[in-house]
C-alpha cells in the first residue's frame, strides 16, 4: 500500500512539474488607464496592456493573425473586449525573450449605462504556451475557450 501511494505521489508531482499552466509570477500583465473615445455612438476605453516575461527562457505562445483580442478578457460585465471581423484568421506563434515585454492596445466597449469615471476593472490574458521546440502547430481552440491559463493585470480605477 505504501508503495502505491509513493508511486501516485511521484506521478502527480511529475504531472504538475511539466504542466503547461503559466505561473503567475513568471509573467506579468500590466495595464494603464489609456483614454476614452467615442466612435459611432459607442464609447471605447483604449487600454495599453503589457505582457512581460519574467523568466530566463524565451516563451513561445499562441495568438491569432487577426482576432488576437480573443485571448484577452475583462473582469467587469459593463465592459467587453472589442472583437474584430476578419477575412483570414489563423493561429500564429509569438515569442517573447527573457525580461522583454509586448504591449498592445485593448479596446474595451463600455456599456451605455455606465459612466467611465465610475468604473473599476482588470484585464486577463490567456497565455497558451507552445509545447516542445518544433514548429508544428498543435493549437487547441477548445483550450483557448476554457481560459485556464489567464494572467490577470493590476486594477484600474477611474
Amino acid at each position: 500500500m505504501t508503495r502505491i501511494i509513493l508511486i501516485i505521489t511521484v506521478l502527480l508531482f511529475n504531472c504538475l512539474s511539466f504542466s503547461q499552466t503559466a505561473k503567475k509570477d513568471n509573467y506579468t500583465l500590466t495595464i494603464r488607464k489609456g483614454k476614452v473615445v467615442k466612435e459611432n455612438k459607442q464609447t471605447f476605453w483604449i487600454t495599453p496592456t503589457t505582457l512581460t516575461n519574467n523568466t530566463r527562457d524565451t516563451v513561445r505562445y499562441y495568438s491569432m493573425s487577426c482576432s488576437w483580442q480573443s485571448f484577452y478578457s475583462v473582469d467587469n460585465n459593463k465592459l467587453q473586449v472589442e472583437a474584430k471581423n476578419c477575412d483570414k484568421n489563423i493561429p500564429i506563434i509569438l515569442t517573447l525573450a527573457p525580461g522583454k515585454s509586448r504591449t498592445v492596445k485593448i479596446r474595451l466597449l463600455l456599456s451605455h449605462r455606465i459612466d467611465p469615471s465610475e468604473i473599476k476593472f482588470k484585464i486577463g490574458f490567456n497565455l497558451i504556451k507552445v509545447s516542445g521546440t518544433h514548429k508544428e502547430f498543435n493549437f487547441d481552440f477548445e483550450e483557448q475557450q476554457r481560459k485556464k491559463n489567464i494572467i490577470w493585470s493590476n486594477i484600474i480605477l477611474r
Side-chain angles (χ1 to χ4, degrees), residues 113-125:
R113 299 185 181 125
I114 188 76
D115 178 358
S117 66
E118 299 173 0
I119 202 151
K120 167 181 150 179
F121 68 94
K122 59 185 174 178
I123 291 177
F125 175 66

Side-chain angles (χ1 to χ4, degrees), residues 33-36 45 115-121 156-158:
K33 285 188 178 180
K35 61 182 178 178
V36 176
W45 196 329
D115 178 358
S117 66
E118 299 173 0
I119 202 151
K120 167 181 150 179
F121 68 94
I156 292 288
L157 302 169
R158 193 63 169 177

